[in-house]
Amino acid sequence: MDFVRGRLVRSKAGRDRARTLAVLAVEGQMLLLADGRLRTLCRPKRKKNKHVAPTATVLGEEDLASDERLSKAIAAFDTQSPI
């Protein structure tokens, strides 16, 4: 599964283990991730792609427009597919 802008992933390692994050950009093996709350769009988390598990869900650009919309989209995803 490709890592593309907007794809939701679950962290497999680190302090943010089991958190759902959205991919903002792909830089080789590194991903820029945000969740709209702890990791905002202006301060994304850099994480290697082997430390995340991709989901089948890809958010649209409108959900990536603001931290509030991103956090609501992730919360809706988490309620539909809990860990």
Side-chain angles (χ1 to χ4, degrees), residues 8 16 19-24 33-41 43-45 66-75 78:
L8 293 182
D16 58 356
R19 281 188 80 94
T20 304
L21 303 152
V23 175
L24 299 181
L33 307 169
D35 66 359
R37 291 179 190 252
L38 294 177
R39 286 298 178 165
T40 59
L41 294 170
R43 200 175 61 93
K45 168 77 175 161
S66 71
D67 290 323
E68 182 180 353
R69 293 185 77 163
L70 177 59
S71 63
K72 285 183 181 180
I74 290 175
D78 284 341

Side-chain angles (χ1 to χ4, degrees), residues 24-54:
L24 299 181
V26 179
E27 299 173 348
Q29 291 187 6
M30 298 299 288
L31 303 172
L32 293 178
L33 307 169
D35 66 359
R37 291 179 190 252
L38 294 177
R39 286 298 178 165
T40 59
L41 294 170
C42 63
R43 200 175 61 93
K45 168 77 175 161
R46 287 176 50 90
K47 200 168 188 80
K48 285 189 177 182
N49 60 9
K50 67 181 180 179
H51 294 163
V52 297

